[in-house]
Amino acid sequence: MEELTGAQLIAESLKTQACYAASAVGYLTGRPGACLVVSGPGLIHALGGMANANMNCWPVIVIGGSSDRNQETAGAFQEFPQVEACRLFSKFSVRPSSLEVIPSVVEKAVRASMYGRPGACYIDIAGDMVNAKVDRSQIRVVSCCPDPPVSLADHGAVAEAVSVLKTAKRPLVIIGKGAAYSRAETALREFVETSGLPFLPTPMGKGVLPDDHPHCVAAARSRALLQADVILLLGARLNWILHFGLPPRFDPNVKIIQVDLCAEEMGNNVRPAVALLGDINAVVTQLLQGICKDGWKYGSGTEWWSLLRNKIAANAKISKTLALQSTVPMNYYTVFHHVSQLLPHDCIIISEGANTMDIGRTMLNNYLPRHRLDAGTFGTMGVGLGFAIAAATLERSNGEKGRRIVCVEGDSAFGFSGMEVETMCRYNLPVVIIVVNNNGIYSGVDPETWREMAKMGDLTSIAPPVTLLPEARYDEVMAAFGGKGYLVRTVEELRSALELSLTDWQRPSLLNVLIDPSSDRKQQEFPWLTRSNL
């Protein structure tokens, strides 16, 4: 099991955040993080983190205390059917029957969390076992669980996939977070540059190849998905994030080459033209060998590349126009434009919120793999600060200063776990939090409108349910615990506050960035398509 310096820090946080943090450790390291929770309500609070880890396919081990075995069904303190409850949210859920089997159970939980499709595992420890003793000679020594075995795809299927790619007129590679988890970045770079294919990263696939790579077509996402005739799907699922692979977002006749380590995932929503079952890194290497046999390369001067480049340029022009607006309050694009200019290339960006996460994904580049964490497959809000604590703790355990951890939050998203700034201050974790504050969920109202509504009667019945308190002082929440808080209204204040925060390695900082409550995303190319937060 991954040993984490500062594990007590995570265990002492709120149990939901502890589980989010431990699962982020599993994703970032490839070995499961561990989360220790108390019985009953403590375990229940961890279920959200377990579900999130399972949906994201991240390894994590949750260890929960429970009532004494001789008190079962008697109404013991915090008695709850914990093993049964966790089975819905985990790959493996068990209560050891005796002290002697605990090492074997732990090893199996670690192995189950990593092998096949990664996920959450639960171990239940009865209260009467905590201080019980057993003769060491009765314990069977269990060796540390090795890394998962690496599997290759069928050679015939690989040859078929290469053949399909070569016949494509409008090919596209989609890079998912499964490619990030499998450490496929080196093989993928060689494959993309050798093949000449355009690629599109999913939200947490960003950075496997740099967002500024000349083959990245993220700025033409809708066009690329809609018109591609062959898609190589690498460690991504055709779920809601990719609109299920179905029209109207996709060509109804698109051919999917699906690469995944989970056989059960093959054919979900769209039957693949070719299914390649295996480790993403290993299969990409196989595909690379296949295209290198005859030196095939997709031409850079094709009509498809021309169409994609034109769309990228057009969208970049629109975004730049919005970003350079000098009005106060600022809009999302202005904020992210200036933030992107100041962030270090190797920083880990954590993002959650509605428009904040959606627009931030397009404006804040990632240049390295596993350097973006967000609401993920489950669309979970409230994960940001737990993820940031985990990432900052890992960076500290690696020695020296490590990389900067920057947590970009919508104001509503920050509200889910805002008190975790106390944990950051308690342990002097130099996380930089940027709260993009539009006074609401998707949109809010300005202070004057809020006051006018208050004159009309009871705000609980008048104020729209998506509105939040205008210009709430989240910066003062950070300052209350000893961190540094900044209230930001202008570009100059934003740049100054962020520059100061990035040079402060002694404490966390929070920038409360007030923007136009009506600020929204730029108009979409296909307004009739379903809106997606990711």
Side-chain angles (χ1 to χ4, degrees), residues 413-427:
F414 179 77
F416 280 94
S417 57
M419 288 302 289
E420 287 304 306
V421 299
E422 186 276 334
T423 306
M424 296 176 183
C425 290
R426 192 188 335 153
Y427 293 100

Side-chain angles (χ1 to χ4, degrees), residues 220-265:
R221 182 182 190 271
S222 294
R223 181 67 58 88
L225 293 178
L226 181 62
Q227 298 189 0
D229 63 351
V230 172
I231 291 176
L232 176 60
L233 190 68
L234 299 172
R237 288 169 279 179
L238 293 177
N239 56 19
W240 69 276
I241 292 177
L242 288 174
H243 317 287
F244 312 104
L246 299 172
R249 286 285 194 175
F250 286 73
D251 186 314
N253 299 313
V254 66
K255 294 180 180 178
I256 303 291
I257 301 169
Q258 188 172 7
V259 185
D260 204 285
L261 53 68
C262 178
E264 291 82 355
E265 188 61 37

Side-chain angles (χ1 to χ4, degrees), residues 170 220 223-224 227 302-312:
R170 299 181 302 278
R223 181 67 58 88
Q227 298 189 0
T302 62
E303 183 181 353
W304 178 232
W305 259 123
S306 177
L307 186 152
L308 291 173
R309 290 189 182 110
N310 289 340
K311 192 59 191 174
I312 289 169

Side-chain angles (χ1 to χ4, degrees), residues 24-225:
V25 169
Y27 173 67
L28 294 171
T29 67
R31 303 285 295 190
C35 173
L36 181 66
V37 300
V38 298
S39 57
L43 184 277
I44 291 171
H45 287 309
L47 292 178
M50 292 176 68
N52 190 67
N54 243 23
M55 294 297 290
N56 274 335
C57 307
W58 292 355
V60 68
I61 308 294
V62 176
I63 303 173
S66 62
S67 51
D68 292 359
R69 287 172 291 182
N70 64 358
Q71 295 177 352
E72 286 188 7
T73 74
F77 175 68
Q78 295 185 335
E79 184 179 355
F80 186 73
Q82 298 180 181
V83 176
E84 293 82 353
C86 289
R87 286 201 176 104
L88 288 173
F89 308 100
S90 65
K91 294 181 65 180
F92 176 67
S93 180
V94 65
R95 170 187 276 196
S97 58
S98 66
L99 295 177
E100 290 85 351
V101 303
I102 287 178
S104 297
V105 167
V106 171
E107 189 278 337
K108 183 170 183 178
V110 172
R111 179 158 38 89
S113 74
M114 294 191 299
Y115 283 31
R117 172 174 281 175
C121 292
Y122 175 67
I123 302 173
D124 192 82
I125 304 296
D128 56 300
M129 296 175 69
V130 173
N131 292 316
K133 296 182 179 180
V134 64
D135 192 298
R136 185 181 294 272
S137 63
Q138 298 180 30
I139 304 297
R140 182 170 66 89
V141 177
V142 180
S143 60
C144 182
C145 178
D147 289 336
V150 175
S151 57
L152 296 170
D154 177 79
H155 293 291
V158 172
E160 185 180 359
V162 171
S163 177
V164 172
L165 276 175
K166 289 180 178 179
T167 62
K169 293 182 179 180
R170 299 181 302 278
L172 178 67
V173 178
I174 296 181
I175 300 174
K177 68 173 175 286
Y181 185 80
S182 71
R183 273 63 180 168
E185 52 267 19
T186 301
L188 252 175
R189 179 185 282 270
E190 187 175 358
F191 174 78
V192 164
E193 294 177 354
T194 300
S195 67
L197 295 171
F199 74 87
L200 172 71
T202 63
M204 272 190 280
K206 283 165 58 69
V208 175
L209 297 184
D211 282 340
D212 61 352
H213 192 284
H215 289 228
C216 181
V217 295
R221 182 182 190 271
S222 294
R223 181 67 58 88
L225 293 178

Side-chain angles (χ1 to χ4, degrees), residues 8-14 17 385-386 389 396 414 417-431 433 474-484 506-510:
Q8 288 181 334
L9 176 158
I10 293 176
E12 290 173 8
S13 299
L14 291 173
Q17 291 301 312
L385 271 62
I389 289 169
R396 175 173 290 177
F414 179 77
S417 57
M419 288 302 289
E420 287 304 306
V421 299
E422 186 276 334
T423 306
M424 296 176 183
C425 290
R426 192 188 335 153
Y427 293 100
N428 298 318
L429 297 174
V431 175
I433 302 173
Y474 301 113
D475 50 303
E476 293 186 351
V477 175
M478 174 65 84
F481 296 108
K484 184 64 177 177
Q506 304 304 314
R507 56 185 172 176
S509 303
L510 188 150

